Amino acid sequence: ASNAYALGLSQFQGFWIPCSRVPTSSIISFQKYFQALDDDIIVASKPKAGTTWLKALVFTIVNRHSYTLSNTPLNSANPHQLIPFFEIKLYRKNPNPDLSIIPSPRLFSTHLPYSMLADSIKHSNCRIIYITRNPFDIVVSLWHFFRFMDDWPVEDCFEMFCRGEEGYGPFWDHVLGYWNMSLEKPSSVLFLRYEELKEDPVAQTKRLAEFLGFPFSVEEEKTGVVNQIVDFCSFNNLKDLEVNKTGKMAETILPNNKLFFRSGKVGDYVNYLTPAAVERFNNILEEKLSGSGLTFK
Ligand code: A3P
């Protein structure tokens, strides 16, 4: 494909990396220098799986005793500013940033596949929450997102996915890496789905809080704290915050923060992809995921 998005991708360590925005040098520095601590929390995902939402939830859960919902930094900062990416932000400018000054628990994020994480993460007891989403909604969301670079056809985006050639793809290898680790080390890797979060955000937020080691007390449950957090982090609320409506993050090529909030629905792909295309990708996926126990409806 010759669209601007595809042209920015290069193969690195077995995956397609958007090297124009994520230089391989920053990945190498992260792998070499990052020292994980046991109480670190890492939000991991492929782009467009619900990263922004999960970051808002994690930040609010972990910091709920320091901030109320009216004075939380989420009111004036985009979730990506509060939970920075290793490869896009932290290790990009500085190959060995001093992360020891960040108060614990430190909150980080990554789009990198499990196999590309720093060894210190794999050897520590830090917690990773991986969010995924049905690949069709990811394709459509990704296509919309990168239209600011190029008005490319949605079919091109879909074809790239079928070949496994999208950013941080192949999709199946990315999900399988985290899926397998969530089975092997369930206390270290939590596997979440966008659709589950949508269907029962209260139950999933409690699950998240427990996994993170910040469970809600009986008192908190009684007083509706969980519901308040869910409402605060909902699509409609985050989308309408001034920072997300009109703000823009420094040092990124992204035109604005609004781009992270499009429609926030499950199944929007039916408006963009034909049933034949869906069947074709389902067949690829079935083969790639066979024997893993992982399925997408
Ligand atoms: P759509 O393009 O389908 O609307 P990411 O954060 O990984 O980049 O994913 C972005 C997707 O998550 C977009 O999907 C966006 O609208 C949706 N999203 C962002 N915030 C959300 C929220 N609070 N609740 C539900 N979906 C959200």
Side-chain angles (χ1 to χ4, degrees):
S2 60
N3 57 72
Y5 175 73
L7 289 172
L9 302 176
S10 304
Q11 223 170 5
F12 183 68
Q13 299 182 348
F15 285 82
W16 288 92
I17 302 301
C19 288
S20 48
R21 280 162 290 125
V22 183
T24 53
S25 58
S26 69
I27 300 176
I28 294 169
S29 302
F30 158 62
Q31 292 174 337
K32 190 166 161 189
Y33 295 118
F34 180 66
Q35 290 304 321
L37 301 175
D38 283 340
D39 59 1
D40 283 345
I41 292 172
I42 300 169
V43 169
S45 66
K46 273 197 93 232
K48 306 300 120 201
T51 323
T52 315
W53 187 12
L54 182 57
K55 283 185 182 185
L57 283 167
V58 168
F59 186 90
T60 314
I61 291 168
V62 169
N63 291 299
R64 68 183 188 273
H65 301 303
S66 316
Y67 304 114
T68 65
L69 294 176
S70 38
N71 72 12
T72 172
L74 278 161
N75 287 302
S76 50
N78 174 277
H80 295 287
Q81 292 170 279
L82 300 173
I83 307 190
F85 286 104
F86 290 122
E87 68 280 7
I88 304 175
K89 175 99 195 207
L90 297 173
Y91 286 87
R92 191 164 154 183
K93 276 238 161 125
N94 182 345
N96 192 3
D98 182 9
L99 305 178
S100 66
I101 50 176
I102 302 175
S104 91
R106 303 182 302 178
L107 307 178
F108 299 115
S109 73
T110 187
H111 282 323
L112 295 173
Y114 188 81
S115 61
M116 286 171 75
L117 298 185
D119 280 342
S120 75
I121 294 178
K122 300 176 187 174
H123 298 142
S124 77
N125 289 320
C126 74
R127 291 174 173 88
I128 299 175
I129 316 133
Y130 182 72
I131 186 159
T132 189
R133 185 180 190 186
N134 84 71
F136 306 106
D137 281 334
I138 291 186
V139 168
V140 169
S141 184
L142 187 77
W143 170 66
H144 276 290
F145 191 84
F146 283 106
R147 284 169 78 190
F148 78 86
M149 283 169 58
D150 193 348
D151 203 8
W152 53 324
V154 69
E155 290 78 14
D156 282 12
C157 188
F158 178 74
E159 288 300 325
M160 290 175 70
F161 247 77
C162 288
R163 294 193 304 268
E165 290 178 12
E166 78 286 1
Y168 307 94
F171 172 80
W172 42 86
D173 287 338
H174 202 283
V175 271
L176 276 178
Y178 285 98
W179 169 254
N180 289 333
M181 284 318 296
S182 75
L183 299 179
E184 204 175 299
K185 277 174 84 180
S187 58
S188 295
V189 182
L190 180 72
F191 192 89
L192 270 186
R193 292 173 189 261
Y194 183 94
E195 292 79 11
E196 293 175 323
L197 255 183
K198 267 284 189 196
E199 193 173 304
D200 195 344
V202 170
Q204 295 300 328
T205 299
K206 287 188 204 165
R207 181 180 168 217
L208 193 53
E210 247 162 65
F211 173 80
L212 293 174
F214 292 83
F216 292 103
S217 66
V218 176
E219 189 58 29
E220 283 180 302
E221 295 208 14
K222 250 199 273 174
T223 52
V225 170
V226 191
N227 286 284
Q228 286 159 15
I229 290 177
V230 165
D231 290 346
F232 183 85
C233 296
S234 69
F235 179 79
N236 285 331
N237 186 63
L238 292 186
K239 172 176 72 80
D240 287 339
L241 294 176
E242 205 53 44
V243 59
N244 295 324
K245 243 186 353 201
T246 59
K248 174 183 166 24
M249 283 183 281
E251 296 175 47
T252 97
I253 59 156
L254 303 176
N256 53 52
N257 295 340
K258 220 162 85 176
L259 220 51
F260 289 101
F261 306 90
R262 187 186 62 96
S263 91
K265 293 195 181 89
V266 173
D268 186 37
Y269 70 86
V270 299
N271 299 312
Y272 300 89
L273 303 175
T274 66
V278 170
E279 195 190 328
R280 196 175 127 218
F281 191 81
N282 268 333
N283 290 335
I284 298 173
L285 207 54
E286 207 173 298
E287 189 213 310
K288 299 288 186 188
L289 301 181
S290 83
S292 68
L294 175 63
T295 54
F296 286 87
K297 282 191 205 94

